[in-house]
mmCIF file of all heavy atoms in Angstrom:
data_model
loop_
_atom_site.group_PDB
_atom_site.id
_atom_site.type_symbol
_atom_site.label_atom_id
_atom_site.label_comp_id
_atom_site.label_asym_id
_atom_site.label_seq_id
_atom_site.Cartn_x
_atom_site.Cartn_y
_atom_site.Cartn_z
ATOM 1 N N GLU A 161 -3.680 15.146 -4.570
ATOM 2 C CA GLU A 161 -3.107 16.011 -5.537
ATOM 3 C C GLU A 161 -3.213 15.516 -6.986
ATOM 4 O O GLU A 161 -3.531 16.392 -7.853
ATOM 5 C CB GLU A 161 -1.646 16.312 -5.148
ATOM 6 C CG GLU A 161 -1.421 17.060 -3.914
ATOM 7 C CD GLU A 161 0.071 17.205 -3.529
ATOM 8 O OE1 GLU A 161 0.852 16.520 -4.246
ATOM 9 O OE2 GLU A 161 0.370 17.956 -2.564
ATOM 10 N N VAL A 162 -3.098 14.260 -7.105
ATOM 11 C CA VAL A 162 -3.145 13.623 -8.469
ATOM 12 C C VAL A 162 -4.545 13.736 -9.008
ATOM 13 O O VAL A 162 -4.908 14.231 -10.086
ATOM 14 C CB VAL A 162 -2.767 12.134 -8.446
ATOM 15 C CG1 VAL A 162 -3.007 11.473 -9.790
ATOM 16 C CG2 VAL A 162 -1.247 12.164 -8.130
ATOM 17 N N ILE A 163 -5.599 13.269 -8.194
ATOM 18 C CA ILE A 163 -6.919 13.191 -8.687
ATOM 19 C C ILE A 163 -7.616 14.601 -8.784
ATOM 20 O O ILE A 163 -8.626 14.739 -9.367
ATOM 21 C CB ILE A 163 -7.789 12.208 -7.907
ATOM 22 C CG1 ILE A 163 -8.048 12.722 -6.430
ATOM 23 C CG2 ILE A 163 -7.227 10.768 -7.960
ATOM 24 C CD1 ILE A 163 -8.898 11.798 -5.605
ATOM 25 N N SER A 164 -6.996 15.554 -8.114
ATOM 26 C CA SER A 164 -7.513 16.931 -8.200
ATOM 27 C C SER A 164 -7.178 17.580 -9.521
ATOM 28 O O SER A 164 -7.745 18.709 -9.865
ATOM 29 C CB SER A 164 -7.044 17.732 -6.976
ATOM 30 O OG SER A 164 -7.507 17.240 -5.779
ATOM 31 N N CYS A 165 -6.278 17.019 -10.362
ATOM 32 C CA CYS A 165 -5.951 17.629 -11.585
ATOM 33 C C CYS A 165 -7.170 17.590 -12.515
ATOM 34 O O CYS A 165 -8.030 16.759 -12.476
ATOM 35 C CB CYS A 165 -4.792 16.816 -12.227
ATOM 36 S SG CYS A 165 -3.245 16.924 -11.368
ATOM 37 N N ALA A 166 -7.194 18.636 -13.419
ATOM 38 C CA ALA A 166 -8.356 18.841 -14.089
ATOM 39 C C ALA A 166 -8.596 17.884 -15.252
ATOM 40 O O ALA A 166 -9.734 17.559 -15.646
ATOM 41 C CB ALA A 166 -8.399 20.272 -14.648
ATOM 42 N N THR A 167 -7.554 17.420 -15.988
ATOM 43 C CA THR A 167 -7.646 16.625 -17.067
ATOM 44 C C THR A 167 -6.986 15.228 -16.860
ATOM 45 O O THR A 167 -6.110 15.093 -15.956
ATOM 46 C CB THR A 167 -7.011 17.221 -18.320
ATOM 47 O OG1 THR A 167 -5.586 17.367 -18.153
ATOM 48 C CG2 THR A 167 -7.561 18.646 -18.558
ATOM 49 N N ILE A 168 -7.316 14.286 -17.732
ATOM 50 C CA ILE A 168 -6.682 12.954 -17.629
ATOM 51 C C ILE A 168 -5.155 13.062 -17.885
ATOM 52 O O ILE A 168 -4.334 12.437 -17.171
ATOM 53 C CB ILE A 168 -7.291 11.962 -18.616
ATOM 54 C CG1 ILE A 168 -8.776 11.659 -18.297
ATOM 55 C CG2 ILE A 168 -6.552 10.662 -18.712
ATOM 56 C CD1 ILE A 168 -9.505 10.829 -19.312
ATOM 57 N N ARG A 169 -4.753 13.897 -18.858
ATOM 58 C CA ARG A 169 -3.328 14.075 -19.145
ATOM 59 C C ARG A 169 -2.631 14.632 -17.889
ATOM 60 O O ARG A 169 -1.495 14.144 -17.576
ATOM 61 C CB ARG A 169 -3.158 15.063 -20.314
ATOM 62 C CG ARG A 169 -1.640 15.368 -20.603
ATOM 63 C CD ARG A 169 -1.420 16.072 -21.918
ATOM 64 N NE ARG A 169 -1.804 15.191 -23.006
ATOM 65 C CZ ARG A 169 -1.352 15.383 -24.263
ATOM 66 N NH1 ARG A 169 -0.477 16.348 -24.536
ATOM 67 N NH2 ARG A 169 -1.757 14.647 -25.212
ATOM 68 N N GLU A 170 -3.218 15.633 -17.187
ATOM 69 C CA GLU A 170 -2.599 16.114 -16.024
ATOM 70 C C GLU A 170 -2.396 15.142 -14.997
ATOM 71 O O GLU A 170 -1.425 15.090 -14.240
ATOM 72 C CB GLU A 170 -3.354 17.413 -15.607
ATOM 73 C CG GLU A 170 -3.208 18.637 -16.506
ATOM 74 C CD GLU A 170 -4.065 19.761 -16.113
ATOM 75 O OE1 GLU A 170 -4.873 19.564 -15.103
ATOM 76 O OE2 GLU A 170 -4.050 20.824 -16.783
ATOM 77 N N LYS A 171 -3.433 14.331 -14.816
ATOM 78 C CA LYS A 171 -3.422 13.281 -13.744
ATOM 79 C C LYS A 171 -2.375 12.234 -14.105
ATOM 80 O O LYS A 171 -1.554 11.888 -13.197
ATOM 81 C CB LYS A 171 -4.776 12.554 -13.666
ATOM 82 C CG LYS A 171 -5.891 13.394 -13.106
ATOM 83 C CD LYS A 171 -7.217 12.594 -13.084
ATOM 84 C CE LYS A 171 -8.358 13.496 -12.397
ATOM 85 N NZ LYS A 171 -9.625 12.722 -12.366
ATOM 86 N N LEU A 172 -2.201 11.875 -15.392
ATOM 87 C CA LEU A 172 -1.275 10.913 -15.729
ATOM 88 C C LEU A 172 0.223 11.471 -15.582
ATOM 89 O O LEU A 172 1.047 10.787 -14.980
ATOM 90 C CB LEU A 172 -1.428 10.522 -17.204
ATOM 91 C CG LEU A 172 -2.560 9.477 -17.461
ATOM 92 C CD1 LEU A 172 -2.814 9.478 -18.986
ATOM 93 C CD2 LEU A 172 -2.184 8.143 -17.010
ATOM 94 N N LEU A 173 0.365 12.661 -16.052
ATOM 95 C CA LEU A 173 1.764 13.242 -15.921
ATOM 96 C C LEU A 173 2.162 13.522 -14.381
ATOM 97 O O LEU A 173 3.319 13.243 -14.025
ATOM 98 C CB LEU A 173 1.821 14.590 -16.586
ATOM 99 C CG LEU A 173 1.781 14.445 -18.151
ATOM 100 C CD1 LEU A 173 1.795 15.835 -18.863
ATOM 101 C CD2 LEU A 173 3.138 13.774 -18.656
ATOM 102 N N THR A 174 1.215 13.940 -13.549
ATOM 103 C CA THR A 174 1.484 14.182 -12.210
ATOM 104 C C THR A 174 1.776 12.818 -11.496
ATOM 105 O O THR A 174 2.861 12.699 -10.791
ATOM 106 C CB THR A 174 0.288 14.741 -11.468
ATOM 107 O OG1 THR A 174 -0.054 16.011 -12.125
ATOM 108 C CG2 THR A 174 0.593 14.938 -9.989
ATOM 109 N N TYR A 175 1.115 11.790 -11.804
ATOM 110 C CA TYR A 175 1.415 10.415 -11.254
ATOM 111 C C TYR A 175 2.627 9.822 -11.754
ATOM 112 O O TYR A 175 3.506 9.414 -10.926
ATOM 113 C CB TYR A 175 0.187 9.443 -11.569
ATOM 114 C CG TYR A 175 0.534 8.036 -11.239
ATOM 115 C CD1 TYR A 175 0.494 7.580 -9.797
ATOM 116 C CD2 TYR A 175 0.964 7.084 -12.123
ATOM 117 C CE1 TYR A 175 0.782 6.317 -9.440
ATOM 118 C CE2 TYR A 175 1.217 5.786 -11.865
ATOM 119 C CZ TYR A 175 1.176 5.394 -10.460
ATOM 120 O OH TYR A 175 1.537 4.139 -10.135
ATOM 121 N N LEU A 176 2.849 9.916 -13.083
ATOM 122 C CA LEU A 176 4.108 9.259 -13.644
ATOM 123 C C LEU A 176 5.343 10.059 -13.235
ATOM 124 O O LEU A 176 6.372 9.445 -12.959
ATOM 125 C CB LEU A 176 3.960 9.280 -15.170
ATOM 126 C CG LEU A 176 2.855 8.359 -15.690
ATOM 127 C CD1 LEU A 176 2.732 8.552 -17.220
ATOM 128 C CD2 LEU A 176 3.185 6.920 -15.339
ATOM 129 N N ASN A 177 5.302 11.381 -13.146
ATOM 130 C CA ASN A 177 6.406 12.171 -12.605
ATOM 131 C C ASN A 177 6.711 11.796 -11.208
ATOM 132 O O ASN A 177 7.939 11.739 -10.756
ATOM 133 C CB ASN A 177 6.155 13.628 -12.840
ATOM 134 C CG ASN A 177 6.550 14.157 -14.123
ATOM 135 O OD1 ASN A 177 7.694 14.216 -14.555
ATOM 136 N ND2 ASN A 177 5.568 14.575 -14.941
ATOM 137 N N LEU A 201 -6.672 6.721 -10.693
ATOM 138 C CA LEU A 201 -6.864 8.060 -11.131
ATOM 139 C C LEU A 201 -8.296 8.574 -11.177
ATOM 140 O O LEU A 201 -8.556 9.737 -11.453
ATOM 141 C CB LEU A 201 -6.161 8.194 -12.451
ATOM 142 C CG LEU A 201 -4.705 7.894 -12.668
ATOM 143 C CD1 LEU A 201 -4.252 8.052 -14.151
ATOM 144 C CD2 LEU A 201 -3.883 8.800 -11.787
ATOM 145 N N GLU A 211 -5.534 8.677 -24.145
ATOM 146 C CA GLU A 211 -4.723 9.659 -23.823
ATOM 147 C C GLU A 211 -3.297 9.313 -23.706
ATOM 148 O O GLU A 211 -2.360 9.987 -24.115
ATOM 149 C CB GLU A 211 -5.168 10.388 -22.455
ATOM 150 C CG GLU A 211 -4.412 11.672 -22.092
ATOM 151 C CD GLU A 211 -4.643 12.735 -23.183
ATOM 152 O OE1 GLU A 211 -5.828 12.991 -23.540
ATOM 153 O OE2 GLU A 211 -3.627 13.280 -23.653
ATOM 154 N N MET A 215 -0.158 10.817 -25.922
ATOM 155 C CA MET A 215 1.052 11.347 -25.327
ATOM 156 C C MET A 215 2.267 10.595 -25.882
ATOM 157 O O MET A 215 3.372 11.289 -26.136
ATOM 158 C CB MET A 215 0.955 11.112 -23.776
ATOM 159 C CG MET A 215 -0.112 11.927 -23.087
ATOM 160 S SD MET A 215 -0.536 11.417 -21.442
ATOM 161 C CE MET A 215 0.935 11.899 -20.582
#
Side-chain angles (χ1 to χ4, degrees):
E161 291 175 353
V162 172
I163 64 175
S164 295
C165 293
T167 66
I168 295 177
R169 176 171 294 203
E170 289 173 355
K171 290 181 180 183
L172 283 166
L173 286 174
T174 301
Y175 171 76
L176 294 173
N177 274 292
L201 298 178
E211 189 59 50
M215 294 165 70

